[in-house]
Amino acid sequence: MTTSRRQFLQACGVLGLGAAVTGVPAVASAARVGDEYKVQETRFMMGTVVTITALHPSRQLGEEAIGRSFEEITRLEALLSRYQSASPVSVLNRDGRLSGIPQELAEVVRSARLISKLSDKAFDVTIKPVIDLYGEKANLNGEMVLSKAEFEEALSLVDADSLIQKRDSIRLNREGMGITLDGIAKGYIVDKASAVLAAYGAKNHMINAGGDIRTMGEKVGRKPWVVAVQDPEKKGNYPAVIQMTTGAIATSGGYEVFYDKSHMYNHLVSPQSGMSPNNVASVSVMAPSVMEADALATATFIMQSRRGLQFIESLNGCEALIVTKDGMKLSTPQFG
């Protein structure tokens, strides 16, 4: 690839689910290994680098499975992105209400509301007004300056209880509210893309969408997939290296998307204070689905350290690793 993910993120200010990026070529490869083909393709989608690796007895069918999986990502991105003006999410944010909502949007919003409740609103998709304000005021060369009035106004619009969902409609009860599904929809999409791969015969595969990872089955040689948790300092000192068969893991960190030179403000924002937590570098969560891992990693990042670990320990089938700003690693007993 000619341009790094970090350069894209900085150039575009904030890239999230469905942010428009062009000019990035797809990279694909295929190789015969024993009686199977290892097929792999990388594309820039959902504001991040997405790599799909699959094993299949047929090279052609393996490539078709990956192609169909990317088609599913494209389809769902168009439904769940806040950056595409015609998407249902954009219409909701513009009009404050949406009827006849797609099933996929209903599922994601329902899950977001549940995780918001479970996390005592540490995860809150109505954080969009604050994120938008940070994006407008971003200064990557110095300090970001916010007036007290505009900050308080944006924060006052963050209210999970004012997101009303009924059977086939969603309503935002206060003018100026908006939602961003960046912290949950990417995981949901990865889960759905994985299901497509399996349906097309690629039952052994791994999808890595910028740290949102779904594995199924085994890799070449009937060995577990190997997943390295991203080093927040980007020096190759991975906090953990995990062997996985079928599972899901997601990492949230404030080291990629930020709004000021000192990195005090990033895309992970507390719905209560409107500020980015300053003592956590990254959180990785293992969960039954990537959607859950994605949202729970965000919630845990907002909760910070001990409280975050206690939260994850209270949930069945979930484990977490927290890396603090000073390099300390805190984890639940069964992580990895």
Side-chain angles (χ1 to χ4, degrees), residues 186-240:
K186 183 151 65 80
Y188 175 84
I189 293 173
V190 170
D191 287 327
K192 294 298 184 181
S194 172
V196 169
L197 286 169
Y200 278 82
K203 297 186 183 300
N204 297 299
H205 63 257
M206 179 170 73
I207 303 175
N208 185 347
D212 283 19
I213 299 171
R214 176 73 184 182
T215 58
M216 181 174 287
E218 299 165 312
K219 68 175 186 177
V220 172
R222 298 293 178 249
K223 296 180 180 179
W225 299 98
V226 178
V227 175
V229 173
Q230 178 65 60
D231 174 13
E233 296 186 359
K234 297 298 185 69
K235 295 181 179 179
N237 299 318
Y238 303 115

Short mmCIF file of all heavy atoms in Angstrom, two decimals, residues 186-240:
data_model
loop_
_atom_site.label_atom_id
_atom_site.label_comp_id
_atom_site.label_asym_id
_atom_site.label_seq_id
_atom_site.Cartn_x
_atom_site.Cartn_y
_atom_site.Cartn_z
N LYS A 186 -18.51 -1.88 13.24
CA LYS A 186 -17.41 -2.57 12.56
C LYS A 186 -17.32 -4.02 13.01
O LYS A 186 -17.14 -4.93 12.22
CB LYS A 186 -16.09 -1.83 12.79
CG LYS A 186 -14.89 -2.44 12.06
CD LYS A 186 -13.86 -1.37 11.74
CE LYS A 186 -13.22 -0.77 12.97
NZ LYS A 186 -12.16 -1.66 13.53
N GLY A 187 -17.48 -4.22 14.33
CA GLY A 187 -17.47 -5.58 14.84
C GLY A 187 -18.63 -6.40 14.30
O GLY A 187 -18.47 -7.57 13.93
N TYR A 188 -19.81 -5.79 14.24
CA TYR A 188 -20.99 -6.46 13.69
C TYR A 188 -20.75 -6.87 12.24
O TYR A 188 -21.07 -7.99 11.83
CB TYR A 188 -22.19 -5.51 13.78
CG TYR A 188 -23.46 -6.01 13.14
CD1 TYR A 188 -24.33 -6.84 13.84
CD2 TYR A 188 -23.80 -5.63 11.84
CE1 TYR A 188 -25.51 -7.29 13.25
CE2 TYR A 188 -24.97 -6.07 11.25
CZ TYR A 188 -25.83 -6.90 11.95
OH TYR A 188 -27.00 -7.35 11.37
N ILE A 189 -20.17 -5.97 11.47
CA ILE A 189 -19.91 -6.24 10.06
C ILE A 189 -18.90 -7.37 9.90
O ILE A 189 -19.05 -8.24 9.03
CB ILE A 189 -19.45 -4.96 9.34
CG1 ILE A 189 -20.60 -3.95 9.29
CG2 ILE A 189 -18.96 -5.27 7.94
CD1 ILE A 189 -20.20 -2.58 8.75
N VAL A 190 -17.88 -7.38 10.73
CA VAL A 190 -16.89 -8.47 10.67
C VAL A 190 -17.56 -9.81 10.98
O VAL A 190 -17.28 -10.81 10.31
CB VAL A 190 -15.72 -8.20 11.64
CG1 VAL A 190 -14.83 -9.43 11.77
CG2 VAL A 190 -14.90 -7.01 11.16
N ASP A 191 -18.45 -9.84 11.96
CA ASP A 191 -19.17 -11.08 12.26
C ASP A 191 -19.97 -11.56 11.05
O ASP A 191 -19.97 -12.76 10.72
CB ASP A 191 -20.13 -10.86 13.43
CG ASP A 191 -19.43 -10.73 14.77
OD1 ASP A 191 -18.38 -11.39 14.95
OD2 ASP A 191 -19.93 -9.98 15.63
N LYS A 192 -20.65 -10.64 10.39
CA LYS A 192 -21.47 -11.01 9.23
C LYS A 192 -20.59 -11.44 8.05
O LYS A 192 -20.95 -12.37 7.30
CB LYS A 192 -22.35 -9.83 8.82
CG LYS A 192 -23.41 -9.45 9.85
CD LYS A 192 -24.40 -10.60 10.08
CE LYS A 192 -25.51 -10.22 11.03
NZ LYS A 192 -26.46 -11.32 11.27
N ALA A 193 -19.45 -10.78 7.88
CA ALA A 193 -18.54 -11.16 6.80
C ALA A 193 -17.98 -12.56 7.05
O ALA A 193 -17.79 -13.35 6.11
CB ALA A 193 -17.40 -10.14 6.69
N SER A 194 -17.73 -12.89 8.30
CA SER A 194 -17.26 -14.22 8.66
C SER A 194 -18.31 -15.28 8.32
O SER A 194 -17.99 -16.36 7.81
CB SER A 194 -16.93 -14.26 10.16
OG SER A 194 -16.63 -15.56 10.60
N ALA A 195 -19.57 -14.96 8.59
CA ALA A 195 -20.65 -15.90 8.28
C ALA A 195 -20.74 -16.16 6.78
O ALA A 195 -21.03 -17.28 6.35
CB ALA A 195 -21.97 -15.36 8.81
N VAL A 196 -20.48 -15.13 5.98
CA VAL A 196 -20.50 -15.31 4.52
C VAL A 196 -19.38 -16.24 4.08
O VAL A 196 -19.58 -17.13 3.24
CB VAL A 196 -20.39 -13.94 3.82
CG1 VAL A 196 -20.14 -14.12 2.32
CG2 VAL A 196 -21.66 -13.13 4.04
N LEU A 197 -18.18 -16.05 4.63
CA LEU A 197 -17.06 -16.94 4.29
C LEU A 197 -17.41 -18.39 4.58
O LEU A 197 -17.18 -19.28 3.75
CB LEU A 197 -15.83 -16.53 5.09
CG LEU A 197 -15.10 -15.26 4.66
CD1 LEU A 197 -14.07 -14.87 5.71
CD2 LEU A 197 -14.42 -15.46 3.31
N ALA A 198 -17.97 -18.63 5.75
CA ALA A 198 -18.33 -20.00 6.13
C ALA A 198 -19.39 -20.57 5.20
O ALA A 198 -19.33 -21.74 4.80
CB ALA A 198 -18.82 -20.03 7.57
N ALA A 199 -20.35 -19.73 4.82
CA ALA A 199 -21.42 -20.18 3.94
C ALA A 199 -20.90 -20.57 2.55
O ALA A 199 -21.48 -21.42 1.87
CB ALA A 199 -22.49 -19.10 3.81
N TYR A 200 -19.81 -19.94 2.13
CA TYR A 200 -19.21 -20.25 0.83
C TYR A 200 -18.08 -21.26 0.94
O TYR A 200 -17.25 -21.38 0.04
CB TYR A 200 -18.74 -18.97 0.15
CG TYR A 200 -19.85 -18.23 -0.56
CD1 TYR A 200 -20.70 -17.38 0.13
CD2 TYR A 200 -20.07 -18.42 -1.92
CE1 TYR A 200 -21.73 -16.72 -0.51
CE2 TYR A 200 -21.11 -17.77 -2.57
CZ TYR A 200 -21.93 -16.92 -1.86
OH TYR A 200 -22.97 -16.28 -2.52
N GLY A 201 -18.04 -21.99 2.03
CA GLY A 201 -17.12 -23.11 2.14
C GLY A 201 -15.77 -22.82 2.74
O GLY A 201 -14.95 -23.73 2.90
N ALA A 202 -15.50 -21.56 3.08
CA ALA A 202 -14.22 -21.19 3.70
C ALA A 202 -14.40 -21.20 5.21
O ALA A 202 -14.45 -20.15 5.86
CB ALA A 202 -13.75 -19.83 3.20
N LYS A 203 -14.50 -22.37 5.77
CA LYS A 203 -14.81 -22.49 7.19
C LYS A 203 -13.60 -22.19 8.08
O LYS A 203 -13.76 -21.94 9.27
CB LYS A 203 -15.37 -23.87 7.50
CG LYS A 203 -16.70 -24.15 6.78
CD LYS A 203 -17.30 -25.46 7.20
CE LYS A 203 -18.57 -25.76 6.42
NZ LYS A 203 -19.60 -24.72 6.62
N ASN A 204 -12.41 -22.24 7.50
CA ASN A 204 -11.19 -21.86 8.22
C ASN A 204 -10.73 -20.50 7.70
O ASN A 204 -10.29 -20.39 6.55
CB ASN A 204 -10.09 -22.90 8.01
CG ASN A 204 -10.46 -24.26 8.58
OD1 ASN A 204 -10.70 -24.41 9.77
ND2 ASN A 204 -10.56 -25.26 7.71
N HIS A 205 -10.85 -19.49 8.53
CA HIS A 205 -10.51 -18.15 8.05
C HIS A 205 -10.23 -17.19 9.21
O HIS A 205 -10.56 -17.48 10.36
CB HIS A 205 -11.63 -17.58 7.18
CG HIS A 205 -12.93 -17.39 7.91
ND1 HIS A 205 -14.00 -18.25 7.76
CD2 HIS A 205 -13.36 -16.44 8.79
CE1 HIS A 205 -15.00 -17.84 8.51
NE2 HIS A 205 -14.64 -16.74 9.15
N MET A 206 -9.64 -16.05 8.87
CA MET A 206 -9.45 -14.97 9.82
C MET A 206 -9.73 -13.65 9.12
O MET A 206 -9.28 -13.42 7.99
CB MET A 206 -8.04 -14.95 10.40
CG MET A 206 -7.82 -13.79 11.39
SD MET A 206 -6.25 -13.89 12.33
CE MET A 206 -5.08 -13.47 11.06
N ILE A 207 -10.46 -12.77 9.80
CA ILE A 207 -10.69 -11.40 9.32
C ILE A 207 -10.08 -10.45 10.34
O ILE A 207 -10.36 -10.55 11.53
CB ILE A 207 -12.19 -11.09 9.16
CG1 ILE A 207 -12.86 -12.10 8.22
CG2 ILE A 207 -12.39 -9.67 8.66
CD1 ILE A 207 -14.37 -11.91 8.12
N ASN A 208 -9.25 -9.54 9.87
CA ASN A 208 -8.68 -8.51 10.73
C ASN A 208 -9.05 -7.16 10.14
O ASN A 208 -8.56 -6.77 9.08
CB ASN A 208 -7.16 -8.65 10.81
CG ASN A 208 -6.54 -7.66 11.80
OD1 ASN A 208 -7.18 -6.72 12.25
ND2 ASN A 208 -5.28 -7.87 12.14
N ALA A 209 -9.94 -6.45 10.83
CA ALA A 209 -10.38 -5.13 10.38
C ALA A 209 -9.86 -4.09 11.37
O ALA A 209 -10.56 -3.67 12.28
CB ALA A 209 -11.89 -5.07 10.28
N GLY A 210 -8.59 -3.75 11.23
CA GLY A 210 -7.99 -2.74 12.09
C GLY A 210 -8.05 -3.07 13.56
O GLY A 210 -8.31 -2.19 14.39
N GLY A 211 -7.83 -4.33 13.91
CA GLY A 211 -7.85 -4.74 15.31
C GLY A 211 -9.14 -5.38 15.76
O GLY A 211 -9.21 -5.93 16.87
N ASP A 212 -10.17 -5.34 14.92
CA ASP A 212 -11.39 -6.11 15.16
C ASP A 212 -11.21 -7.43 14.43
O ASP A 212 -11.22 -7.47 13.19
CB ASP A 212 -12.62 -5.37 14.63
CG ASP A 212 -13.04 -4.24 15.53
OD1 ASP A 212 -12.22 -3.80 16.35
OD2 ASP A 212 -14.19 -3.77 15.40
N ILE A 213 -11.04 -8.51 15.17
CA ILE A 213 -10.59 -9.77 14.59
C ILE A 213 -11.56 -10.90 14.88
O ILE A 213 -11.97 -11.11 16.01
CB ILE A 213 -9.19 -10.14 15.12
CG1 ILE A 213 -8.19 -9.04 14.74
CG2 ILE A 213 -8.75 -11.49 14.59
CD1 ILE A 213 -6.83 -9.21 15.39
N ARG A 214 -11.88 -11.63 13.81
CA ARG A 214 -12.70 -12.83 13.93
C ARG A 214 -11.93 -14.01 13.35
O ARG A 214 -11.42 -13.93 12.22
CB ARG A 214 -14.02 -12.67 13.16
CG ARG A 214 -14.91 -13.92 13.14
CD ARG A 214 -15.56 -14.15 14.46
NE ARG A 214 -16.35 -15.39 14.46
CZ ARG A 214 -17.05 -15.80 15.50
NH1 ARG A 214 -17.09 -15.07 16.60
NH2 ARG A 214 -17.73 -16.91 15.46
N THR A 215 -11.79 -15.06 14.11
CA THR A 215 -11.15 -16.27 13.61
C THR A 215 -12.15 -17.42 13.64
O THR A 215 -13.03 -17.47 14.49
CB THR A 215 -9.93 -16.66 14.48
OG1 THR A 215 -10.34 -16.86 15.83
CG2 THR A 215 -8.86 -15.58 14.44
N MET A 216 -11.98 -18.32 12.69
CA MET A 216 -12.82 -19.52 12.66
C MET A 216 -11.96 -20.69 12.23
O MET A 216 -11.17 -20.58 11.27
CB MET A 216 -14.01 -19.34 11.72
CG MET A 216 -14.95 -20.55 11.67
SD MET A 216 -16.46 -20.30 10.69
CE MET A 216 -17.36 -19.19 11.78
N GLY A 217 -12.10 -21.80 12.93
CA GLY A 217 -11.35 -23.00 12.56
C GLY A 217 -9.87 -22.86 12.82
O GLY A 217 -9.45 -22.34 13.86
N GLU A 218 -9.06 -23.27 11.85
CA GLU A 218 -7.61 -23.29 12.02
C GLU A 218 -6.92 -22.74 10.78
O GLU A 218 -7.51 -22.66 9.70
CB GLU A 218 -7.14 -24.73 12.27
CG GLU A 218 -7.73 -25.35 13.52
CD GLU A 218 -7.54 -26.85 13.55
OE1 GLU A 218 -7.82 -27.51 12.53
OE2 GLU A 218 -7.10 -27.36 14.61
N LYS A 219 -5.65 -22.38 10.92
CA LYS A 219 -4.88 -21.90 9.78
C LYS A 219 -4.15 -23.08 9.13
O LYS A 219 -4.40 -24.25 9.48
CB LYS A 219 -3.89 -20.83 10.23
CG LYS A 219 -2.76 -21.31 11.12
CD LYS A 219 -1.78 -20.17 11.38
CE LYS A 219 -0.56 -20.67 12.16
NZ LYS A 219 0.44 -19.60 12.37
N VAL A 220 -3.26 -22.77 8.19
CA VAL A 220 -2.51 -23.80 7.48
C VAL A 220 -1.80 -24.73 8.47
O VAL A 220 -1.24 -24.28 9.47
CB VAL A 220 -1.49 -23.14 6.54
CG1 VAL A 220 -0.57 -24.20 5.93
CG2 VAL A 220 -2.20 -22.37 5.44
N GLY A 221 -1.85 -26.02 8.20
CA GLY A 221 -1.20 -26.99 9.06
C GLY A 221 -2.02 -27.38 10.26
O GLY A 221 -1.51 -27.99 11.21
N ARG A 222 -3.31 -27.01 10.23
CA ARG A 222 -4.21 -27.32 11.34
C ARG A 222 -3.71 -26.75 12.66
O ARG A 222 -3.83 -27.35 13.72
CB ARG A 222 -4.42 -28.84 11.45
CG ARG A 222 -5.06 -29.45 10.22
CD ARG A 222 -6.50 -28.96 10.06
NE ARG A 222 -7.12 -29.51 8.84
CZ ARG A 222 -7.42 -28.80 7.78
NH1 ARG A 222 -7.15 -27.49 7.76
NH2 ARG A 222 -8.00 -29.34 6.73
N LYS A 223 -3.12 -25.59 12.56
CA LYS A 223 -2.63 -24.89 13.75
C LYS A 223 -3.54 -23.72 14.09
O LYS A 223 -4.25 -23.20 13.22
CB LYS A 223 -1.21 -24.38 13.50
CG LYS A 223 -0.19 -25.49 13.28
CD LYS A 223 1.19 -24.90 13.05
CE LYS A 223 2.23 -26.00 12.82
NZ LYS A 223 3.58 -25.43 12.58
N PRO A 224 -3.55 -23.28 15.35
CA PRO A 224 -4.38 -22.13 15.72
C PRO A 224 -3.91 -20.87 15.00
O PRO A 224 -2.73 -20.73 14.63
CB PRO A 224 -4.16 -22.00 17.24
CG PRO A 224 -3.60 -23.30 17.67
CD PRO A 224 -2.82 -23.85 16.51
N TRP A 225 -4.84 -19.96 14.82
CA TRP A 225 -4.48 -18.63 14.31
C TRP A 225 -3.70 -17.90 15.40
O TRP A 225 -3.98 -18.06 16.58
CB TRP A 225 -5.74 -17.84 13.95
CG TRP A 225 -6.56 -18.48 12.87
CD1 TRP A 225 -7.66 -19.27 13.04
CD2 TRP A 225 -6.33 -18.40 11.47
NE1 TRP A 225 -8.15 -19.68 11.83
CE2 TRP A 225 -7.36 -19.16 10.84
CE3 TRP A 225 -5.39 -17.74 10.68
CZ2 TRP A 225 -7.44 -19.29 9.46
CZ3 TRP A 225 -5.47 -17.87 9.29
CH2 TRP A 225 -6.49 -18.64 8.70
N VAL A 226 -2.74 -17.10 14.99
CA VAL A 226 -1.93 -16.34 15.94
C VAL A 226 -2.29 -14.86 15.80
O VAL A 226 -2.19 -14.28 14.71
CB VAL A 226 -0.43 -16.54 15.70
CG1 VAL A 226 0.38 -15.69 16.68
CG2 VAL A 226 -0.07 -18.02 15.85
N VAL A 227 -2.71 -14.27 16.90
CA VAL A 227 -3.14 -12.86 16.92
C VAL A 227 -2.25 -12.08 17.88
O VAL A 227 -2.13 -12.44 19.06
CB VAL A 227 -4.62 -12.75 17.36
CG1 VAL A 227 -5.02 -11.28 17.50
CG2 VAL A 227 -5.52 -13.47 16.36
N ALA A 228 -1.63 -11.03 17.39
CA ALA A 228 -0.80 -10.17 18.22
C ALA A 228 -1.58 -8.90 18.56
O ALA A 228 -2.10 -8.23 17.67
CB ALA A 228 0.50 -9.80 17.51
N VAL A 229 -1.69 -8.59 19.84
CA VAL A 229 -2.35 -7.36 20.28
C VAL A 229 -1.45 -6.18 19.93
O VAL A 229 -0.25 -6.18 20.22
CB VAL A 229 -2.63 -7.39 21.79
CG1 VAL A 229 -3.17 -6.05 22.27
CG2 VAL A 229 -3.63 -8.51 22.11
N GLN A 230 -2.02 -5.17 19.30
CA GLN A 230 -1.26 -4.01 18.83
C GLN A 230 -0.51 -3.32 19.96
O GLN A 230 -1.06 -3.08 21.04
CB GLN A 230 -2.19 -3.00 18.17
CG GLN A 230 -1.53 -1.72 17.69
CD GLN A 230 -0.53 -1.96 16.57
OE1 GLN A 230 -0.89 -2.47 15.51
NE2 GLN A 230 0.73 -1.64 16.80
N ASP A 231 0.76 -3.00 19.70
CA ASP A 231 1.56 -2.21 20.63
C ASP A 231 1.15 -0.75 20.52
O ASP A 231 1.28 -0.15 19.45
CB ASP A 231 3.04 -2.36 20.26
CG ASP A 231 3.96 -1.47 21.09
OD1 ASP A 231 3.50 -0.93 22.11
OD2 ASP A 231 5.14 -1.32 20.71
N PRO A 232 0.63 -0.13 21.60
CA PRO A 232 0.20 1.27 21.53
C PRO A 232 1.30 2.22 21.08
O PRO A 232 1.02 3.26 20.47
CB PRO A 232 -0.24 1.58 22.97
CG PRO A 232 -0.63 0.26 23.53
CD PRO A 232 0.34 -0.73 22.90
N GLU A 233 2.56 1.87 21.34
CA GLU A 233 3.66 2.74 20.97
C GLU A 233 4.23 2.41 19.59
O GLU A 233 5.17 3.05 19.13
CB GLU A 233 4.77 2.65 22.02
CG GLU A 233 4.35 3.17 23.39
CD GLU A 233 5.49 3.21 24.37
OE1 GLU A 233 6.61 2.81 24.00
OE2 GLU A 233 5.26 3.65 25.51
N LYS A 234 3.66 1.39 18.94
CA LYS A 234 4.06 1.00 17.58
C LYS A 234 5.54 0.67 17.46
O LYS A 234 6.20 1.01 16.49
CB LYS A 234 3.69 2.12 16.60
CG LYS A 234 2.21 2.42 16.50
CD LYS A 234 1.45 1.19 15.99
CE LYS A 234 -0.01 1.50 15.76
NZ LYS A 234 -0.24 2.38 14.65
N LYS A 235 6.08 0.00 18.47
CA LYS A 235 7.49 -0.39 18.45
C LYS A 235 7.66 -1.90 18.31
O LYS A 235 8.77 -2.41 18.40
CB LYS A 235 8.18 0.10 19.73
CG LYS A 235 8.24 1.62 19.86
CD LYS A 235 8.94 2.04 21.13
CE LYS A 235 9.01 3.55 21.25
NZ LYS A 235 9.67 3.98 22.53
N GLY A 236 6.56 -2.61 18.09
CA GLY A 236 6.64 -4.05 17.92
C GLY A 236 6.71 -4.83 19.21
O GLY A 236 6.92 -6.05 19.19
N ASN A 237 6.51 -4.15 20.34
CA ASN A 237 6.50 -4.83 21.63
C ASN A 237 5.07 -5.21 21.98
O ASN A 237 4.40 -4.54 22.76
CB ASN A 237 7.09 -3.93 22.72
CG ASN A 237 8.53 -3.55 22.44
OD1 ASN A 237 9.32 -4.38 22.01
ND2 ASN A 237 8.87 -2.28 22.67
N TYR A 238 4.59 -6.27 21.36
CA TYR A 238 3.18 -6.64 21.49
C TYR A 238 2.84 -7.00 22.94
O TYR A 238 3.52 -7.83 23.55
CB TYR A 238 2.86 -7.81 20.58
CG TYR A 238 3.16 -7.53 19.13
CD1 TYR A 238 4.15 -8.24 18.47
CD2 TYR A 238 2.47 -6.55 18.43
CE1 TYR A 238 4.45 -7.98 17.14
CE2 TYR A 238 2.76 -6.28 17.10
CZ TYR A 238 3.75 -6.99 16.46
OH TYR A 238 4.04 -6.73 15.15
N PRO A 239 1.80 -6.40 23.50
CA PRO A 239 1.42 -6.70 24.88
C PRO A 239 1.01 -8.15 25.09
O PRO A 239 1.13 -8.68 26.20
CB PRO A 239 0.22 -5.76 25.12
CG PRO A 239 0.37 -4.67 24.13
CD PRO A 239 0.99 -5.32 22.92
N ALA A 240 0.52 -8.80 24.04
CA ALA A 240 0.12 -10.20 24.14
C ALA A 240 0.08 -10.81 22.75
O ALA A 240 -0.22 -10.13 21.76
CB ALA A 240 -1.25 -10.32 24.81
#
